[in-house]
Amino acid sequence: MCAHKYPVVTKVSTSNGDYPITSFVTQEIFDSAVAYKPDPDDLFICSFPKNGTTWTIYILHMLRGGCMDFAGEDNLSKYYACMDFIGGEKTKELAQPRMIQTHLRCNQLPINDTNKYVFVARNPKDTVVSFYYHTKGFDFYEFSDGKFDDFFDHFVDGKHDFVNWRRWQNLWAKIATRACSKMTKQS
């Protein structure tokens, strides 16, 4: 039986106040991720959770010439990092060129003109349903018998991992708009 009305998340401290994040992420991991200094060939895959991040990583992996036939212990996680969950130091240990998955907001990442950023978005109706089933499936949320209506309220209020969906999307949309405007002026 579900122990909580809402999923359990951890809060880490930021310069803008507390930030809700997946419960296994410590302050140390979060600080390390936010302090990450990218190499010029790092590629960031930026999305709100349950917006098609893994699907996008598979596509990018294949476009970079990677195969999808993994044998034995080999799997896609050897080729990319979810920086939010392992921190910046562990991300640096991965082979280059790195594909770095993140659900962090753009104001928590090293945005620059050198690196490439792939922004993945999804309809919020699909996101909330997918996130609900995802949350029910992981024990650390302590929400296995949780009700969709409760989760929906939690989602809309931005109290689950990675805060409010609309705010997250709007911040990234501003970055994308500035980047497109810059590209237009250069051509």
Side-chain angles (χ1 to χ4, degrees), residues 107-137:
N107 61 353
Q108 297 168 319
L109 291 171
I111 303 296
N112 59 60
D113 292 337
T114 305
N115 293 104
K116 304 289 187 246
Y117 302 83
V118 176
F119 172 65
V120 184
R122 186 180 190 188
N123 184 313
K125 293 185 259 183
D126 296 325
T127 299
V128 71
V129 171
S130 182
F131 209 170
Y132 168 70
Y133 285 107
H134 168 86
T135 303
K136 284 178 59 94

mmCIF file of all heavy atoms in Angstrom, residues 107-137:
data_model
loop_
_atom_site.group_PDB
_atom_site.id
_atom_site.type_symbol
_atom_site.label_atom_id
_atom_site.label_comp_id
_atom_site.label_asym_id
_atom_site.label_seq_id
_atom_site.Cartn_x
_atom_site.Cartn_y
_atom_site.Cartn_z
ATOM 1 N N ASN A 107 18.750 27.604 -16.426
ATOM 2 C CA ASN A 107 19.507 28.511 -15.566
ATOM 3 C C ASN A 107 20.369 27.758 -14.547
ATOM 4 O O ASN A 107 21.055 28.368 -13.749
ATOM 5 C CB ASN A 107 18.582 29.517 -14.878
ATOM 6 C CG ASN A 107 17.545 28.871 -13.992
ATOM 7 O OD1 ASN A 107 17.394 27.650 -13.965
ATOM 8 N ND2 ASN A 107 16.802 29.688 -13.268
ATOM 9 N N GLN A 108 20.343 26.424 -14.600
ATOM 10 C CA GLN A 108 21.185 25.599 -13.736
ATOM 11 C C GLN A 108 22.292 24.913 -14.530
ATOM 12 O O GLN A 108 23.029 24.107 -13.985
ATOM 13 C CB GLN A 108 20.330 24.541 -13.034
ATOM 14 C CG GLN A 108 19.285 25.138 -12.119
ATOM 15 C CD GLN A 108 18.258 24.121 -11.666
ATOM 16 O OE1 GLN A 108 17.810 23.293 -12.439
ATOM 17 N NE2 GLN A 108 17.896 24.202 -10.399
ATOM 18 N N LEU A 109 22.397 25.232 -15.806
ATOM 19 C CA LEU A 109 23.360 24.574 -16.694
ATOM 20 C C LEU A 109 24.310 25.587 -17.318
ATOM 21 O O LEU A 109 23.980 26.769 -17.418
ATOM 22 C CB LEU A 109 22.621 23.838 -17.814
ATOM 23 C CG LEU A 109 21.828 22.622 -17.399
ATOM 24 C CD1 LEU A 109 20.981 22.130 -18.557
ATOM 25 C CD2 LEU A 109 22.744 21.518 -16.917
ATOM 26 N N PRO A 110 25.457 25.092 -17.801
ATOM 27 C CA PRO A 110 26.418 25.978 -18.464
ATOM 28 C C PRO A 110 26.023 26.219 -19.927
ATOM 29 O O PRO A 110 26.488 25.539 -20.832
ATOM 30 C CB PRO A 110 27.727 25.184 -18.375
ATOM 31 C CG PRO A 110 27.283 23.750 -18.385
ATOM 32 C CD PRO A 110 25.966 23.733 -17.650
ATOM 33 N N ILE A 111 25.136 27.146 -20.154
ATOM 34 C CA ILE A 111 24.699 27.470 -21.513
ATOM 35 C C ILE A 111 25.760 28.359 -22.161
ATOM 36 O O ILE A 111 26.176 29.362 -21.572
ATOM 37 C CB ILE A 111 23.333 28.206 -21.500
ATOM 38 C CG1 ILE A 111 22.260 27.379 -20.784
ATOM 39 C CG2 ILE A 111 22.904 28.567 -22.913
ATOM 40 C CD1 ILE A 111 21.918 26.069 -21.441
ATOM 41 N N ASN A 112 26.199 27.974 -23.355
ATOM 42 C CA ASN A 112 27.218 28.738 -24.056
ATOM 43 C C ASN A 112 27.055 28.568 -25.560
ATOM 44 O O ASN A 112 26.181 27.833 -26.017
ATOM 45 C CB ASN A 112 28.618 28.305 -23.598
ATOM 46 C CG ASN A 112 28.841 26.831 -23.864
ATOM 47 O OD1 ASN A 112 28.787 26.376 -25.009
ATOM 48 N ND2 ASN A 112 29.097 26.068 -22.814
ATOM 49 N N ASP A 113 27.891 29.240 -26.325
ATOM 50 C CA ASP A 113 27.810 29.177 -27.792
ATOM 51 C C ASP A 113 28.618 28.027 -28.379
ATOM 52 O O ASP A 113 28.564 27.798 -29.582
ATOM 53 C CB ASP A 113 28.290 30.501 -28.404
ATOM 54 C CG ASP A 113 27.337 31.645 -28.110
ATOM 55 O OD1 ASP A 113 26.153 31.379 -27.837
ATOM 56 O OD2 ASP A 113 27.783 32.805 -28.144
ATOM 57 N N THR A 114 29.390 27.326 -27.581
ATOM 58 C CA THR A 114 30.249 26.249 -28.072
ATOM 59 C C THR A 114 29.528 24.914 -28.112
ATOM 60 O O THR A 114 29.599 24.193 -29.100
ATOM 61 C CB THR A 114 31.503 26.117 -27.171
ATOM 62 O OG1 THR A 114 32.152 27.386 -27.114
ATOM 63 C CG2 THR A 114 32.450 25.067 -27.712
ATOM 64 N N ASN A 115 28.846 24.581 -27.030
ATOM 65 C CA ASN A 115 28.177 23.289 -26.938
ATOM 66 C C ASN A 115 26.879 23.261 -27.722
ATOM 67 O O ASN A 115 26.327 24.302 -28.071
ATOM 68 C CB ASN A 115 27.902 22.926 -25.470
ATOM 69 C CG ASN A 115 29.187 22.684 -24.712
ATOM 70 O OD1 ASN A 115 29.615 23.535 -23.941
ATOM 71 N ND2 ASN A 115 29.823 21.559 -24.957
ATOM 72 N N LYS A 116 26.405 22.057 -27.981
ATOM 73 C CA LYS A 116 25.121 21.840 -28.658
ATOM 74 C C LYS A 116 24.109 21.377 -27.614
ATOM 75 O O LYS A 116 24.432 20.605 -26.711
ATOM 76 C CB LYS A 116 25.242 20.774 -29.751
ATOM 77 C CG LYS A 116 26.297 21.073 -30.788
ATOM 78 C CD LYS A 116 25.869 22.217 -31.680
ATOM 79 C CE LYS A 116 26.842 22.416 -32.816
ATOM 80 N NZ LYS A 116 27.565 23.633 -32.785
ATOM 81 N N TYR A 117 22.862 21.838 -27.779
ATOM 82 C CA TYR A 117 21.786 21.515 -26.857
ATOM 83 C C TYR A 117 20.582 21.044 -27.659
ATOM 84 O O TYR A 117 20.130 21.746 -28.564
ATOM 85 C CB TYR A 117 21.393 22.746 -26.033
ATOM 86 C CG TYR A 117 22.552 23.314 -25.244
ATOM 87 C CD1 TYR A 117 23.462 24.173 -25.847
ATOM 88 C CD2 TYR A 117 22.755 22.948 -23.919
ATOM 89 C CE1 TYR A 117 24.547 24.678 -25.148
ATOM 90 C CE2 TYR A 117 23.841 23.447 -23.207
ATOM 91 C CZ TYR A 117 24.729 24.304 -23.828
ATOM 92 O OH TYR A 117 25.800 24.786 -23.136
ATOM 93 N N VAL A 118 20.090 19.873 -27.337
ATOM 94 C CA VAL A 118 18.882 19.350 -27.966
ATOM 95 C C VAL A 118 17.773 19.477 -26.933
ATOM 96 O O VAL A 118 17.845 18.886 -25.852
ATOM 97 C CB VAL A 118 19.047 17.877 -28.410
ATOM 98 C CG1 VAL A 118 17.751 17.339 -28.972
ATOM 99 C CG2 VAL A 118 20.177 17.757 -29.420
ATOM 100 N N PHE A 119 16.778 20.273 -27.246
ATOM 101 C CA PHE A 119 15.650 20.517 -26.342
ATOM 102 C C PHE A 119 14.491 19.619 -26.771
ATOM 103 O O PHE A 119 14.083 19.643 -27.925
ATOM 104 C CB PHE A 119 15.263 21.998 -26.420
ATOM 105 C CG PHE A 119 14.011 22.346 -25.691
ATOM 106 C CD1 PHE A 119 13.926 22.227 -24.317
ATOM 107 C CD2 PHE A 119 12.909 22.811 -26.385
ATOM 108 C CE1 PHE A 119 12.764 22.560 -23.648
ATOM 109 C CE2 PHE A 119 11.741 23.149 -25.729
ATOM 110 C CZ PHE A 119 11.675 23.022 -24.354
ATOM 111 N N VAL A 120 13.989 18.807 -25.853
ATOM 112 C CA VAL A 120 12.903 17.877 -26.147
ATOM 113 C C VAL A 120 11.661 18.313 -25.368
ATOM 114 O O VAL A 120 11.726 18.504 -24.154
ATOM 115 C CB VAL A 120 13.275 16.429 -25.745
ATOM 116 C CG1 VAL A 120 12.174 15.463 -26.141
ATOM 117 C CG2 VAL A 120 14.606 16.023 -26.366
ATOM 118 N N ALA A 121 10.546 18.478 -26.065
ATOM 119 C CA ALA A 121 9.290 18.888 -25.430
ATOM 120 C C ALA A 121 8.188 17.905 -25.793
ATOM 121 O O ALA A 121 8.263 17.223 -26.815
ATOM 122 C CB ALA A 121 8.910 20.290 -25.881
ATOM 123 N N ARG A 122 7.186 17.861 -24.952
ATOM 124 C CA ARG A 122 6.055 16.951 -25.151
ATOM 125 C C ARG A 122 4.796 17.612 -24.616
ATOM 126 O O ARG A 122 4.847 18.431 -23.691
ATOM 127 C CB ARG A 122 6.345 15.657 -24.379
ATOM 128 C CG ARG A 122 5.342 14.553 -24.580
ATOM 129 C CD ARG A 122 5.756 13.337 -23.766
ATOM 130 N NE ARG A 122 4.953 12.169 -24.099
ATOM 131 C CZ ARG A 122 4.999 11.030 -23.440
ATOM 132 N NH1 ARG A 122 5.825 10.890 -22.412
ATOM 133 N NH2 ARG A 122 4.253 10.019 -23.789
ATOM 134 N N ASN A 123 3.674 17.235 -25.170
ATOM 135 C CA ASN A 123 2.386 17.733 -24.688
ATOM 136 C C ASN A 123 2.268 17.440 -23.181
ATOM 137 O O ASN A 123 2.496 16.307 -22.746
ATOM 138 C CB ASN A 123 1.275 17.028 -25.469
ATOM 139 C CG ASN A 123 -0.094 17.535 -25.124
ATOM 140 O OD1 ASN A 123 -0.452 17.683 -23.963
ATOM 141 N ND2 ASN A 123 -0.886 17.786 -26.149
ATOM 142 N N PRO A 124 1.899 18.438 -22.369
ATOM 143 C CA PRO A 124 1.827 18.212 -20.914
ATOM 144 C C PRO A 124 0.809 17.147 -20.517
ATOM 145 O O PRO A 124 0.974 16.493 -19.482
ATOM 146 C CB PRO A 124 1.461 19.584 -20.351
ATOM 147 C CG PRO A 124 0.855 20.327 -21.493
ATOM 148 C CD PRO A 124 1.522 19.808 -22.729
ATOM 149 N N LYS A 125 -0.228 16.938 -21.314
ATOM 150 C CA LYS A 125 -1.202 15.881 -20.994
ATOM 151 C C LYS A 125 -0.529 14.510 -21.061
ATOM 152 O O LYS A 125 -0.762 13.655 -20.218
ATOM 153 C CB LYS A 125 -2.405 15.942 -21.935
ATOM 154 C CG LYS A 125 -3.251 17.189 -21.756
ATOM 155 C CD LYS A 125 -4.476 17.136 -22.627
ATOM 156 C CE LYS A 125 -4.276 17.983 -23.839
ATOM 157 N NZ LYS A 125 -5.433 18.057 -24.719
ATOM 158 N N ASP A 126 0.303 14.316 -22.070
ATOM 159 C CA ASP A 126 1.037 13.061 -22.192
ATOM 160 C C ASP A 126 2.106 12.948 -21.107
ATOM 161 O O ASP A 126 2.340 11.880 -20.555
ATOM 162 C CB ASP A 126 1.692 12.957 -23.571
ATOM 163 C CG ASP A 126 0.666 12.914 -24.684
ATOM 164 O OD1 ASP A 126 -0.411 12.326 -24.477
ATOM 165 O OD2 ASP A 126 0.942 13.477 -25.760
ATOM 166 N N THR A 127 2.758 14.068 -20.822
ATOM 167 C CA THR A 127 3.806 14.091 -19.806
ATOM 168 C C THR A 127 3.267 13.668 -18.445
ATOM 169 O O THR A 127 3.846 12.822 -17.767
ATOM 170 C CB THR A 127 4.439 15.492 -19.697
ATOM 171 O OG1 THR A 127 5.024 15.831 -20.948
ATOM 172 C CG2 THR A 127 5.484 15.551 -18.606
ATOM 173 N N VAL A 128 2.162 14.247 -18.021
ATOM 174 C CA VAL A 128 1.639 13.953 -16.681
ATOM 175 C C VAL A 128 1.214 12.483 -16.561
ATOM 176 O O VAL A 128 1.452 11.844 -15.534
ATOM 177 C CB VAL A 128 0.509 14.926 -16.268
ATOM 178 C CG1 VAL A 128 -0.780 14.682 -17.044
ATOM 179 C CG2 VAL A 128 0.238 14.834 -14.767
ATOM 180 N N VAL A 129 0.621 11.931 -17.606
ATOM 181 C CA VAL A 129 0.215 10.520 -17.549
ATOM 182 C C VAL A 129 1.443 9.613 -17.497
ATOM 183 O O VAL A 129 1.527 8.699 -16.675
ATOM 184 C CB VAL A 129 -0.697 10.157 -18.749
ATOM 185 C CG1 VAL A 129 -0.940 8.656 -18.815
ATOM 186 C CG2 VAL A 129 -2.022 10.903 -18.647
ATOM 187 N N SER A 130 2.419 9.881 -18.345
ATOM 188 C CA SER A 130 3.642 9.081 -18.352
ATOM 189 C C SER A 130 4.392 9.202 -17.027
ATOM 190 O O SER A 130 4.874 8.210 -16.473
ATOM 191 C CB SER A 130 4.538 9.520 -19.507
ATOM 192 O OG SER A 130 5.693 8.743 -19.561
ATOM 193 N N PHE A 131 4.487 10.415 -16.501
ATOM 194 C CA PHE A 131 5.183 10.655 -15.237
ATOM 195 C C PHE A 131 4.459 9.952 -14.079
ATOM 196 O O PHE A 131 5.093 9.430 -13.163
ATOM 197 C CB PHE A 131 5.295 12.154 -14.986
ATOM 198 C CG PHE A 131 6.477 12.594 -14.173
ATOM 199 C CD1 PHE A 131 6.781 13.933 -14.075
ATOM 200 C CD2 PHE A 131 7.288 11.697 -13.501
ATOM 201 C CE1 PHE A 131 7.863 14.378 -13.336
ATOM 202 C CE2 PHE A 131 8.376 12.120 -12.751
ATOM 203 C CZ PHE A 131 8.658 13.463 -12.667
ATOM 204 N N TYR A 132 3.151 9.933 -14.124
ATOM 205 C CA TYR A 132 2.365 9.240 -13.097
ATOM 206 C C TYR A 132 2.731 7.756 -13.055
ATOM 207 O O TYR A 132 3.045 7.205 -11.992
ATOM 208 C CB TYR A 132 0.866 9.426 -13.375
ATOM 209 C CG TYR A 132 -0.035 8.524 -12.569
ATOM 210 C CD1 TYR A 132 -0.185 8.708 -11.199
ATOM 211 C CD2 TYR A 132 -0.729 7.493 -13.181
ATOM 212 C CE1 TYR A 132 -1.019 7.880 -10.456
ATOM 213 C CE2 TYR A 132 -1.568 6.663 -12.441
ATOM 214 C CZ TYR A 132 -1.702 6.861 -11.085
ATOM 215 O OH TYR A 132 -2.523 6.037 -10.352
ATOM 216 N N TYR A 133 2.704 7.098 -14.207
ATOM 217 C CA TYR A 133 3.020 5.660 -14.241
ATOM 218 C C TYR A 133 4.487 5.403 -13.913
ATOM 219 O O TYR A 133 4.822 4.422 -13.254
ATOM 220 C CB TYR A 133 2.618 5.043 -15.578
ATOM 221 C CG TYR A 133 1.122 4.872 -15.664
ATOM 222 C CD1 TYR A 133 0.354 5.693 -16.479
ATOM 223 C CD2 TYR A 133 0.474 3.917 -14.887
ATOM 224 C CE1 TYR A 133 -1.025 5.558 -16.530
ATOM 225 C CE2 TYR A 133 -0.906 3.779 -14.928
ATOM 226 C CZ TYR A 133 -1.647 4.592 -15.752
ATOM 227 O OH TYR A 133 -3.008 4.457 -15.785
ATOM 228 N N HIS A 134 5.355 6.279 -14.336
ATOM 229 C CA HIS A 134 6.776 6.194 -13.985
ATOM 230 C C HIS A 134 6.932 6.248 -12.459
ATOM 231 O O HIS A 134 7.631 5.432 -11.864
ATOM 232 C CB HIS A 134 7.521 7.357 -14.648
ATOM 233 C CG HIS A 134 8.908 7.579 -14.162
ATOM 234 N ND1 HIS A 134 9.990 6.910 -14.680
ATOM 235 C CD2 HIS A 134 9.398 8.406 -13.208
ATOM 236 C CE1 HIS A 134 11.090 7.313 -14.059
ATOM 237 N NE2 HIS A 134 10.748 8.228 -13.173
ATOM 238 N N THR A 135 6.283 7.215 -11.850
ATOM 239 C CA THR A 135 6.372 7.415 -10.405
ATOM 240 C C THR A 135 5.834 6.210 -9.641
ATOM 241 O O THR A 135 6.429 5.768 -8.652
ATOM 242 C CB THR A 135 5.620 8.704 -10.005
ATOM 243 O OG1 THR A 135 6.191 9.799 -10.738
ATOM 244 C CG2 THR A 135 5.722 8.982 -8.527
ATOM 245 N N LYS A 136 4.727 5.660 -10.103
ATOM 246 C CA LYS A 136 4.158 4.471 -9.441
ATOM 247 C C LYS A 136 5.102 3.267 -9.530
ATOM 248 O O LYS A 136 5.085 2.401 -8.664
ATOM 249 C CB LYS A 136 2.817 4.097 -10.086
ATOM 250 C CG LYS A 136 1.682 5.006 -9.680
ATOM 251 C CD LYS A 136 0.392 4.652 -10.374
ATOM 252 C CE LYS A 136 -0.069 3.260 -10.128
ATOM 253 N NZ LYS A 136 -1.004 3.036 -9.064
ATOM 254 N N GLY A 137 5.943 3.230 -10.542
ATOM 255 C CA GLY A 137 6.801 2.075 -10.781
ATOM 256 C C GLY A 137 8.110 2.055 -10.018
ATOM 257 O O GLY A 137 8.812 1.051 -10.037
#
